[in-house]
Amino acid sequence: MKGRKVFSAILSSLLIVSAAPLASANTSVASDKAVTTTNVKKGSNKVSDVIQVHNNAAKSKVQSVVKTSKKQEFSKDEVLVKYKTVNAQAVGTVEKGAGIKKSKDLGSTGFKLYKITDGSSVDQTIAKLRKSTNVAYVQPNYKVTKYAVTDPDYSLLWGLKNTGQNVNGYDGTAGMDINVEAAWTKTTGANVVVGVVDEGIDFNHPDLKNNAWVNPGEIAGDGIDNDHNGYVDDINGWDFYNHDNSVYDPNDSNDSDEHGTHVAGTIGASANNVGVIGVAPNVKLVSLKFLGPDGGYDTDAIEAIQYADKMGIKILNNSWGSNTYDQALYDAIKNYHGLFVAAAGNDGVNTDSTPSYPAAFDLPNIISVASINNTGNLSWFSNYGANSVDVAAPGEDIYSTAPYAFANDYNNDYQYMSGTSMATPHVTGSAALVLATHPSYTAANIKQALMDTSKKLSSLTGKVVSGGLINVGSAVSYTADNDNDIPGTAWTGSKVSNSLDAAADTDDVYAVTLSKGEKLTASLSGAAGTDFDLYLYDSKATTVKSSDGILKSSEKGGTSSESVTFVAPASGTYYLDTYAYSGKGTYTLSVTLGGTAGIYDNKSDQLNYVSSKPWSVVANAYASSGSYSTINASNSSVQLVFNGTGIQYNALKSKLQGMAKVTLDGAAQTVDLYSTVNQYNTSVYEKTGLAAGTHTLKIEWTGQKNASASSTAINIDSIVVTNNQSATVEENNANITYSGTWTSQSSTSFSGGAAKYNAIKGNAAEYKFTGEGLTVLGKTASNQGKADIYVDEVLVKTADLYSSTTKYKATLYSTKSLSRGSHVVKVVNRGEKSTSSAGTTITLDAFIVYQKYGSYRIQENALGMAYSGTWSAASSTYLSANAAKYSTAANAYVEHTFTGRGVTLLSFTRSNGGNADIYLDGKLVKTVSMYSSSIVYQVPLYSVSGLSYGPHKIKVVNKGTKPTGSTGTVVSVDAFDVSSY
């Protein structure tokens, strides 16, 4: 890298700077709004409206608070160790000397969990380990507990909407809520996944079952780790406490996952007219259980966090903690690429001086949450800290879901709890709503949005960093002014021009949302004398001031001509960074999204397959690239994002295929894949004439079938993306047939540098081509005569080539309205001239052939098919177009000239089938057998792709020999499939 990646630590500290009020404007309160009565410079001063809150006396009702022990518990036979140097021999020496045996590695934290094997205590073992110069850090395996304040007498849900209603005998203050109804006008959290690191969740609860996350990579109950993430059948998450996939354990204890289920309901209980509603009622919840009846160990919490990171879960709720600093847990959270929402704790202390972890860890991706009551005052039990606690949220008298074991009746399975545990899910749900409206936001951006828009309360001034109560109604509309860093500016269109300055404006960042398999091609060009570079960052990157997260880079020295190409391995938001290494000036960034023109077979990494079980790849010699993919399961689809003007979906048609739903840019139709005869890699859906740009094709399983079909399966062989294209065929091409004498003429003004001419009546040039358009180029001059131009044996124009001045590459004839298929053009000298011309010469420069389709089926009787020898006609409804030709005579052949990049021969095989030689452009490429014990139709006996784009000639010759087992020498031609890609 060019001297640029040294600022990540600085940026991290900036992201957690206090957003407490800086302005000193006079204000008056009206409802929850404050009216400024003096002007301030908002650009240089942070203006925050502070609502004055009456300091109510503490409630006298005794509440039960589950607190952490001041003397932290830990496992009596385990320690966590982090080494300075991980060398097998050195580590082995330490292990032997300390009497420990490794249980597991804790991934990116660098810590290892050890069992004490020599009978020593934890303190004795730690003392021994600290003597080693290779041990960087050693600690016990601490136990953490849940933060909860519970009282079954609380009766009203006020955190989402506080109208001043009475809660537990105390009147509330209107507006002291998170303003969620305003957020719901924009989003309810769809497409966001939240992890609940806690006890388990009862997903059978009517308010939770519809929002349970389902792992798309797993097949339930098959006992296989389908997505290879190390966990078998992790359908709704994982139980790290019991080390299994059961995320709800009603018999674990007398509380039966009550805490985790309550938290989950506050985050995302469904909007279903039953019970309660969560902050984000359309979010998906993942249960990451690590707490049991007596708490849980930090090693299990670490595994839960690492699981979330591996699965791409961007928000975690953490209503638990301890009073002991835990380096291994710190490292795990630091390495987590998402927002870690943490309860501040229930000891009623200032955590600036008496920290509670993990909330007090100084990490930019942690947002620490205090609790307020329904009057807007800090809850009596809540921890606080002007530097260590970020925001406050409703946490007292919170009504939410309870597991079945609570009342043994889901109609009554709701309960009230209080604590920072209950405040935290209000913030987690709010974070989900922010992410839903800003999918490109990083953890830092979400945190900034929640803190900067918080409702400033006098009761929280000096108590939390933001000085405010979460206001998600404003947070969802928050836009960070940060186009110089991630999340940048959302990419729209195909091109942007801007400027950079290596001294003052080094980066412009663009957020590009890509689907899995979607291709991105970006090119940068900058002003002369500049050296601008181009980088692509992954979806987990937090800043372009670091090299962390760079997926692709282009940084040529001394130039601003850069380009990158990338195929997204997963759906998400990626970041393009234009970077000024040196110089100052303008630039243009061009981006093409989607697969460009070409063939995408069933194994292409640009196809995004989705299904409740894996698609099957079926090997078949007749399929393109030797296989096709098939599925017969609900919720199955395959998608391609492409950039072109046309699309073609090719599949196997057979008796075993059902109906597929094909959707192109939102317009859907049903395609029947049934056929009485197997038709391989055949076009079943096609659209041309699309607007140039990005389009989305989706193919879905329907469960429907033709009445005659025996299955509802669907399949994909290949998808062809097309653009309007043309092939220029120069006058000297071997596939042009000349009659009479033609003379070559050279000039750089001609297409290809040369042309041919003649002055004799009847001399002709003939060319066979594939397409639906044609242009004939020639030369006009003072000595040129007239030419008749025929297309498919029909005179379409008599062209006068006379002009008083010489004109090169002159259009003699042009059309783009021919039928799709094979054509023949012929240019004939009429032997005539106009009155002003000095001669009857005609000059042919080139033919230009136009194609807009991905493939062309050329039937056996098409114009331009040249047969030699004796051929007979065959007819059957099983043949392409119901007809074919065959020959039994040795050396009989058929020859066809086509335009494209590939061709396939379709024939029928039978018990008297013979051998045939296949020639391509004059060379023998294959000998094929047309024998089979019973007759088979539309068999692709020969196929070739990847040819240079332009004219080619295929020839099929009867060898006059029989394959083993055959009774004859029949060679057949049903059709040729010409591929333009």
Side-chain angles (χ1 to χ4, degrees), residues 471-488:
N471 181 359
V472 68
S474 296
V476 293
S477 301
Y478 181 87
T479 301
D481 182 15
N482 198 14
D483 61 349
N484 295 325
D485 206 343
I486 293 171

Side-chain angles (χ1 to χ4, degrees), residues 759-774:
I760 301 172
K761 180 179 180 179
N763 282 6
E766 183 178 270
Y767 174 61
K768 301 173 182 177
F769 65 96
T770 313
E772 58 282 333
L774 171 73

Side-chain angles (χ1 to χ4, degrees), residues 536-751:
L536 180 71
Y537 284 79
D538 68 22
S539 57
K540 295 181 179 179
T542 58
T543 176
V544 298
K545 307 304 180 185
S546 167
S547 59
D548 294 341
I550 291 179
L551 296 171
K552 295 282 185 177
S553 63
S554 180
E555 45 185 14
K556 302 171 188 171
T559 179
S560 295
S561 179
E562 312 287 358
S563 63
V564 296
T565 299
F566 174 71
V567 176
S571 297
T573 301
Y574 298 81
Y575 305 98
L576 276 170
D577 174 30
T578 55
Y579 168 70
Y581 175 70
S582 66
K584 174 182 178 181
T586 60
Y587 70 84
T588 297
L589 177 65
S590 300
V591 175
T592 299
L593 298 178
T596 52
I599 299 175
Y600 299 86
D601 66 33
N602 61 304
K603 295 181 181 179
S604 170
D605 60 0
Q606 294 188 49
L607 297 183
N608 181 15
Y609 287 96
V610 175
S611 183
S612 57
K613 64 179 184 179
W615 285 62
S616 298
V617 177
V618 180
N620 190 289
Y622 297 146
S624 71
S625 301
S627 69
Y628 61 87
S629 294
T630 184
I631 193 74
N632 194 5
S634 60
N635 301 316
S636 301
S637 64
V638 58
Q639 178 175 292
L640 174 69
V641 179
F642 66 95
N643 198 297
T645 58
I647 192 76
Q648 179 179 309
Y649 160 35
N650 298 324
L652 164 68
K653 297 187 71 173
S654 78
K655 296 177 180 178
L656 301 176
Q657 298 298 309
M659 294 182 177
K661 177 183 176 183
V662 181
T663 305
L664 178 62
D665 297 336
Q669 72 179 68
T670 300
V671 172
D672 192 352
L673 303 182
Y674 169 79
S675 172
T676 55
V677 177
N678 287 355
Q679 298 180 52
Y680 296 94
N681 196 31
T682 192
S683 177
V684 296
Y685 174 88
E686 186 175 53
K687 290 290 182 182
T688 59
L690 303 177
T694 304
H695 303 275
T696 301
L697 179 76
K698 189 174 185 179
I699 302 163
E700 299 174 82
W701 181 88
T702 65
Q704 302 173 14
K705 67 181 183 69
N706 185 293
S708 301
S710 58
S711 172
T712 57
I714 65 170
N715 73 91
I716 176 175
D717 190 318
S718 64
I719 295 176
V720 183
V721 176
T722 63
N723 266 325
N724 296 329
Q725 62 178 342
S726 61
T728 300
V729 182
E730 300 297 344
E731 89 296 338
N732 61 348
N733 189 278
N735 293 293
I736 299 176
T737 302
Y738 290 94
S739 62
T741 301
W742 289 73
T743 303
S744 294
Q745 180 182 5
S746 298
S747 170
T748 56
S749 298
F750 286 124
S751 172

